[in-house]
Amino acid sequence: MGRDTAPEELSREEARAELARLSAELARANAAYHTEDAPEITDAEYDALKRRNAAIEARFPDLKRADSPSDVVGAAPSETFSKVRHRVRMLSLGNAFSDEDVADFAKSVGRYLGREAPIAFTAEPKIDGLSLSLRYEGGRLVQAATRGDGQEGENVTANARTISDIPDTLNSAPEVLEVRGEVYMTHADFAALNERQAEQGGKTFANPRNAAAGSLRQLDAEITRSRPLRFFAYAWGEVSAPLADTQMGAIERLGALGFSTNPLTRVCADTDEMLAHYRDIESQRATLGYDIDGVVYKVDDLTLQERLGFRSTTPRWAIAHKFPAELAWTRLEAIDIQVGRTGALSPVARLSPVTVGGVVVSNATLHNEDYIAGQDANGQPIREGRDIRVGDWVQVYRAGDVIPKIADVDLSQRPDGTKPYAFPTICPECGSEAVREEGDAVRRCTGGLICPAQAVEKLKHFVGRSAFDIEGLGSKQVEQFYRDDWIAEPADIFTLKKRYGPGCLTQLKNREGWGEKSAENLFDAIDERRKIALNRVIFALGIRHVGEAAAGLLAGHYGTWEAFEAAMAGAEIGEGAAWDDLNAIDGVGKVMAASVVTAFHQEAERASMARLVAELDIQEVRRPDTEGSPVAGKTVVFTGTLEKMTRAEAKARAEALGAKVSGSVSAKTDLLVAGPGAGSKAKKAADLGIETIDEDGWLDLIGAS
Ligand code: IVH
């Protein structure tokens, strides 16, 4: 199986493994994009991974993971700001990439509502910034929070107060009003900021979105004040009184209250008008003076919005119509090989700098050796089989704010005397053999811990946000400490102080970039992390295929490090009770299982883990309680005619409350909701003594009447 196998061709087992991989990959991409403001893959790649995940889930609904990326918005908030729980979740938007997608979306809205006539939508630019929720009580701004993971964001109130587009007080606003919108930076302000930063030796930003995010998420609000941020209001969260009857009316009301709203917002009567406005906005894109990455359509009638409600992470009443990716041509100067944590050799294109969509690009990913040679993992041609060579004239592609890639090559511009690229079979970092296993698109260094690149990348992963997250010990410090032979493996971090004794502090504080206070803080931060949750430890080990989500599943299943370690050490790949038990975990596939067991069977790896564990106090993991809603965990069946909602709406609501909706009555059914015309199902339920209620009874039960 490969990551390129079409969803409809995957076997059940392959689908399970693929969902695990996608979950991990998307979690990593999310963290890079949202928490670290440093995206690793393009928006288009991200969207493709999400679509692939959704397609596989649609084929195997029962394999959908507890941590399914379909249910995740953004990433968890970073540790530096206090947290704010959103009273109304901050959601993401589904994507449309073509006119057909938009037509399908409009049709599905009509179908859901049981309407034939066209439904009116607003259409407005999708601003490429970061979303912010502003809470006003009694007309005063009391709180500002970033989206975070949609449930919980970061408290950035002091920073938001410094943005001139954000009013401190409102006249004649509802008692409680949460205004939501996008913080962004104009191109001109971005260029000036980068120039200023460069002059002062500060950090420069890759694009306006990163600059806006980095400027808003400053611990010192005075820095935010010095950054030219702006805000467009386009939505709302909790409100004590409705703003209007329509989306357009609500936006006008926000405008009247003193917020900036986007002047390109229109009401469109049907799909043709929506698409016409999309093209109009697209034609103005280059001259707007700020980045947009598409057009957002929203059902105009707010009563209908409410009926449509939400899927797990996206509203049914809105969609983002994305602009196509941006392209440019340039010269490929060189191909460098980077060695990653798991030994993967990744080819990186070094380019003659070129501007793609307003950003200067000089590096791009080339994925793997097959990609360079012009074929996919199954040997099928890509780019009609054209290979990529140093010296070639290549097409660079990026969508949004992301690592660009090479999409194509122009053979008519190929210089004389070029040779096909010979992918190294020796690790450029340690000289060990680099091998490609059957079915793997990637060539890997076999040096393990003797390979300095792998060792450093492993350490960087170990101290990453979702792993040990040691304050003051980031990638840069890890590299420095590794170079100086202070640390070679994770355990060394915890023995650093012991090994160097009291002199350690002096040594550290004599180094560039370290003072007495920061050195002391570092050792405190290290000690603080000795007590740590099992899932973080498992994730931190950096075992191939074991992402954050998978680590959570393993921790939840085994509970303690001792149980996990004993089970893995005792397991044999492909047979026996321990192997079966591992594979029985929902969300763990054979590939991941084999990878974990292999890691625990490698002598050096085991020893290194043992040294680490000896330094830690690993916390047991208990499963969370799923109590909460009156129908959580119950199996519900709907029958007969529903008068206040469509069947799809009823099912979606029930599922959102944690119920399982089934099509037939059986002894497992907990509740039957029967409308007029209910027949055999109602009779069967009565025979089985199953509780039966009508539609109003159901609405009462879920508190929706
Ligand atoms: S509406 C419930 N309108 O896009 C949906 N979002 O991909 C609320 N965004 O998280 C969002 N411009 O950060 C909406 N005109 C616009 C937008 C917009 C940009 C962002 C927003 C959202 C993301 C979803």
Side-chain angles (χ1 to χ4, degrees):
M1 184 211 35
R3 50 191 60 189
D4 301 313
T5 312
E8 47 293 347
E9 282 165 15
L10 293 174
S11 71
R12 209 180 147 71
E13 261 323 300
E14 289 168 345
R16 193 196 294 277
E18 196 49 7
L19 288 175
R21 181 186 75 79
L22 288 163
S23 160
E25 202 157 314
L26 283 159
R28 199 161 49 236
N30 265 331
Y33 186 90
H34 292 278
T35 318
E36 287 147 31
D37 298 328
E40 285 174 355
I41 60 173
T42 65
D43 282 2
E45 282 168 329
Y46 181 86
D47 290 338
L49 291 178
K50 269 211 129 151
R51 267 178 287 158
R52 179 171 173 77
N53 186 72
I56 300 173
E57 284 177 350
R59 245 194 93 208
F60 299 99
D62 60 312
L63 293 187
K64 184 171 167 188
R65 301 164 56 91
D67 64 350
S68 164
S70 314
D71 300 336
V72 176
V73 189
S78 82
E79 300 292 330
T80 12
F81 292 90
S82 72
K83 314 236 155 79
V84 172
R85 185 148 277 277
H86 298 300
R87 284 168 229 223
V88 176
R89 275 191 310 155
M90 285 184 84
L91 291 149
S92 177
L93 292 168
N95 289 324
F97 297 97
S98 65
D99 292 4
E100 292 80 72
D101 288 352
V102 175
D104 287 348
F105 163 69
K107 267 188 232 142
S108 76
V109 167
R111 220 171 13 235
Y112 192 92
L113 295 168
R115 291 225 180 174
E116 303 254 321
I119 290 167
F121 286 87
T122 57
E124 70 200 64
K126 183 171 189 297
I127 317 297
D128 198 5
L130 70 156
S131 48
L132 186 67
S133 184
L134 305 168
R135 185 175 175 88
Y136 290 84
E137 288 174 7
R140 306 194 75 83
L141 178 64
V142 294
Q143 189 167 68
T146 62
R147 182 170 72 175
D149 62 5
Q151 314 258 13
E152 218 175 49
E154 292 165 339
N155 185 341
V156 290
T157 313
N159 307 33
R161 285 190 205 283
T162 69
I163 300 176
S164 54
D165 280 347
I166 296 179
D168 250 333
T169 55
L170 305 175
N171 284 328
S172 56
E175 178 56 31
V176 174
L177 169 62
E178 281 178 8
V179 176
R180 292 179 175 178
E182 203 83 353
V183 173
Y184 68 102
M185 198 179 280
T186 65
H187 294 154
D189 287 340
F190 165 70
L193 170 64
N194 260 359
E195 207 169 302
R196 207 170 76 209
Q197 291 288 103
E199 267 167 24
Q200 299 168 354
K203 173 181 173 184
T204 57
F205 298 96
N207 56 45
R209 197 206 84 91
N210 283 3
S215 300
L216 182 67
R217 297 163 75 231
Q218 286 287 337
L219 288 174
D220 178 356
E222 286 315 305
I223 298 182
T224 309
R225 190 188 301 282
S226 73
R227 305 277 173 86
L229 294 174
R230 299 177 193 233
F231 180 79
F232 274 131
Y234 53 62
W236 55 93
E238 193 181 0
V239 280
S240 56
L243 289 173
D245 297 333
T246 60
Q247 176 73 29
M248 195 65 198
I251 296 305
E252 283 164 1
R253 177 91 194 276
L254 291 175
L257 284 169
F259 290 96
S260 292
T261 58
N262 195 287
L264 292 173
T265 311
R266 298 269 184 284
V267 180
C268 302
D270 55 26
T271 312
D272 286 346
E273 286 189 24
M274 290 155 74
L275 295 174
H277 193 46
Y278 170 87
R279 291 196 218 302
D280 189 24
I281 292 175
E282 192 178 26
S283 72
Q284 299 188 48
R285 184 179 187 188
T287 53
L288 285 177
Y290 51 87
D291 278 349
I292 64 173
D293 57 353
V295 170
V296 182
Y297 307 116
K298 300 172 185 170
V299 169
D300 191 39
D301 182 331
L302 297 185
T303 322
L304 297 185
Q305 276 194 13
E306 191 157 341
R307 275 186 61 196
L308 284 156
F310 302 90
R311 293 178 217 93
S312 54
T313 62
T314 55
R316 281 194 196 82
W317 44 265
I319 201 163
H321 188 179
K322 293 290 201 75
F323 292 136
E326 296 182 86
L327 305 170
W329 289 86
T330 188
R331 191 70 62 195
L332 175 60
E333 305 282 357
I335 297 177
D336 285 351
I337 299 291
Q338 285 177 351
V339 182
R341 165 171 62 86
T342 58
L345 269 49
S346 305
V348 179
R350 305 293 179 202
L351 305 166
S352 288
V354 62
T355 307
V356 192
V359 174
V360 178
V361 170
S362 44
N363 301 311
T365 173
L366 282 162
H367 304 288
N368 55 53
E369 60 186 290
D370 285 345
Y371 190 82
I372 298 174
Q375 59 182 41
D376 70 12
N378 304 318
Q380 297 300 310
I382 47 177
R383 298 183 299 272
E384 291 161 355
R386 290 187 283 280
D387 72 328
I388 296 173
R389 303 182 182 185
V390 173
D392 268 343
W393 188 243
V394 292
Q395 188 190 53
V396 187
Y397 156 108
R398 65 182 280 279
D401 112 81
V402 277
I403 293 189
K405 57 184 186 187
I406 305 296
D408 209 350
V409 46
D410 182 350
L411 295 187
S412 73
Q413 307 255 11
R414 177 168 283 174
D416 290 337
T418 60
K419 282 197 224 67
Y421 178 70
F423 203 92
T425 52
I426 298 289
C427 172
E429 297 283 344
C430 72
S432 302
E433 205 187 342
V435 300
R436 238 184 113 169
E437 273 166 30
E438 175 92 37
D440 196 349
V442 171
R443 190 172 285 280
R444 286 171 207 279
C445 161
T446 51
L449 292 173
I450 69 145
C451 175
Q454 283 191 56
V456 168
E457 291 306 317
K458 260 187 178 263
L459 283 164
K460 286 189 195 168
H461 172 81
F462 184 85
V463 299
R465 275 232 166 92
S466 304
F468 271 69
D469 191 22
I470 297 170
E471 185 135 17
L473 193 59
S475 298
K476 229 175 67 203
Q477 292 79 9
V478 162
E479 271 171 15
Q480 190 185 43
F481 290 3
Y482 182 85
R483 228 181 301 121
D484 295 351
D485 278 338
W486 275 33
I487 56 173
E489 61 167 33
D492 296 343
I493 295 172
F494 294 95
T495 57
L496 195 55
K497 204 165 160 186
K498 203 158 53 191
R499 281 184 291 129
Y500 286 86
C504 187
L505 204 66
T506 326
Q507 279 201 42
L508 186 57
K509 81 174 194 232
N510 288 338
R511 280 165 185 250
E512 202 188 330
W514 292 93
E516 170 114 18
K517 191 82 198 125
S518 56
E520 253 172 48
N521 286 347
L522 174 65
F523 291 114
D524 287 348
I526 291 173
D527 279 341
E528 236 171 68
R529 287 292 189 226
R530 287 181 194 271
K531 185 169 170 181
I532 187 145
L534 177 60
N535 51 317
R536 280 189 182 250
V537 177
I538 297 177
F539 174 65
L541 295 176
I543 300 169
R544 229 174 111 197
H545 301 294
V546 181
E548 206 181 332
L553 294 176
L554 294 168
H557 184 76
Y558 293 100
T560 63
W561 171 265
E562 290 70 27
F564 175 56
E565 208 237 338
M568 294 308 100
E572 268 180 73
I573 294 178
E575 60 191 25
W579 172 256
D580 291 344
D581 184 46
L582 174 60
N583 278 273
I585 303 172
D586 191 19
V588 173
K590 284 209 174 62
V591 176
M592 191 209 302
S595 173
V596 183
V597 173
T598 307
F600 277 80
H601 284 243
Q602 276 163 2
E603 225 30 75
E605 192 108 16
R606 280 280 305 281
S608 164
M609 286 187 217
R611 287 190 289 271
L612 170 66
V613 170
E615 298 295 325
L616 304 175
D617 172 13
I618 302 175
Q619 304 295 296
E620 191 176 325
V621 169
R622 277 200 215 94
R623 280 168 186 281
D625 236 357
T626 51
E627 288 296 282
S629 99
V631 294
K634 299 248 165 81
T635 301
V636 181
V637 176
F638 292 94
T639 186
T641 313
L642 299 178
E643 288 163 334
K644 300 196 170 141
M645 52 194 166
T646 62
R647 196 56 78 76
E649 200 173 346
K651 181 169 188 284
R653 282 243 201 144
E655 284 173 350
L657 291 165
K660 208 176 129 201
V661 177
S662 162
S664 58
V665 172
S666 73
K668 289 204 191 111
T669 309
D670 294 300
L671 183 65
L672 181 74
V673 182
S680 60
K681 285 183 198 167
K683 184 171 178 310
K684 186 160 178 200
D687 291 347
L688 290 169
I690 290 163
E691 186 184 355
T692 301
I693 57 177
D694 63 8
E695 190 177 0
D696 285 332
W698 166 254
L699 292 173
D700 279 344
L701 179 66
I702 63 169
S705 56

